[in-house]
Amino acid sequence: MGERLASALGGEGEVVAAESLERLAHLTARMADRPPSAIAIHGGDGTLHKSLTAIIRAWHDRPLPPIAVLPGGTMNVVASSLGIGGRPEGIVAELAATVRAGRPLTTIERRCLKVGDTYGFVFGNGLMANFLEEYYSGEDGYGPGRALWLLARTFSSALIDGPYAKKVFRRFEGRVLVDGGELPWRRLTGVSAATVREVGMGFKLNHRADEDPQRFSVLAIHSGALSLSMDMIPVHQGRGVAPERAYSAVASRLQILPDTTGDHIYTIDGDLYRAVGPLEVVVGPQVHFFRPTQ
């Protein structure tokens, strides 16, 4: 892929690969010294948010260069939500031709989230993180087929109040504050925050993510597995979880204060993380995504 991307650039830039987070930090620091016209990132959502985190840290408070997403991972939720598609080589070729001609880039503006000291676009705990934990635990690879099989297994187990559904739907216990106001529930199926609508396979869990470009969508689900199954079609259609089963808002600050003294699991853009103690989600920098015409 590196050779094909380099060929598509036509000498307009360079292709670099980061074998580790340390190498990524070094590369982005070097870029920040001589800022490029744009940065293209090839991979899935995990690669995108890790790369973006390194770029934001290297740029400090300066405006970020335009970002071109080259979808190529197992999960491409951000690209799908923003309507960005096409072959990576084609996107790079169009980007290079636009820069070479001195034309302005057509972009889509979207705030990212700052979760602790990491940046991304979709945060989730409880159900969202539990599901991904099961998804990544398989030995047969990843993909839509495995995700659909896990969904079927989970809701089949829920019909008989089985142990697998209880495992996936184990609740987050603690306090949740949205813009300083505390939610009334202390046991939640899951809490999500996002600046993009989709979470995978076309499910638009965060249906209010496009509502305010300066804030993010917050969803706190308090219903159980069986009642939540009634929302699968509406969520896929972009209408969200019914108000009687979830709290929904747009906000600038989300505080997660778990009751447990141990660590708690959460996800950022499909990657799993663990934290001890409180966790804060706030609005991150503005990102200008290159919009290809293809």
Side-chain angles (χ1 to χ4, degrees), residues 11-71:
E12 191 60 42
E14 64 174 325
V15 176
V16 296
E19 303 82 7
S20 66
L21 293 178
E22 291 75 17
R23 174 66 173 161
L24 180 60
H26 172 77
L27 288 171
T28 51
R30 190 187 75 181
M31 292 179 193
D33 288 338
R34 298 183 63 183
S37 301
I39 297 176
I41 301 172
H42 177 252
D45 295 311
T47 299
L48 176 62
H49 94 262
K50 285 186 172 68
S51 300
L52 182 65
T53 295
I55 292 167
I56 292 172
R57 290 172 181 171
W59 258 253
H60 300 292
D61 295 327
R62 290 176 292 167
L64 304 177
I67 303 295
V69 180
L70 313 179

Side-chain angles (χ1 to χ4, degrees), residues 89-152:
E89 301 95 323
I91 297 173
V92 165
E94 182 179 343
L95 175 65
T98 304
V99 171
R100 191 180 300 115
R103 299 191 301 269
L105 299 178
T106 301
T107 59
I108 308 165
E109 286 68 46
R110 191 58 54 108
R111 290 276 186 182
C112 62
L113 303 174
K114 182 181 181 184
V115 184
D117 62 352
T118 303
Y119 297 86
F121 298 89
V122 182
F123 163 86
N125 71 5
L127 173 62
M128 287 71 79
N130 300 341
F131 183 85
L132 285 173
E133 194 173 37
E134 292 299 306
Y135 177 78
Y136 291 130
S137 68
E139 298 179 354
D140 301 324
Y142 312 134
R146 175 165 175 77
L148 287 170
W149 179 80
L150 286 175
L151 280 174

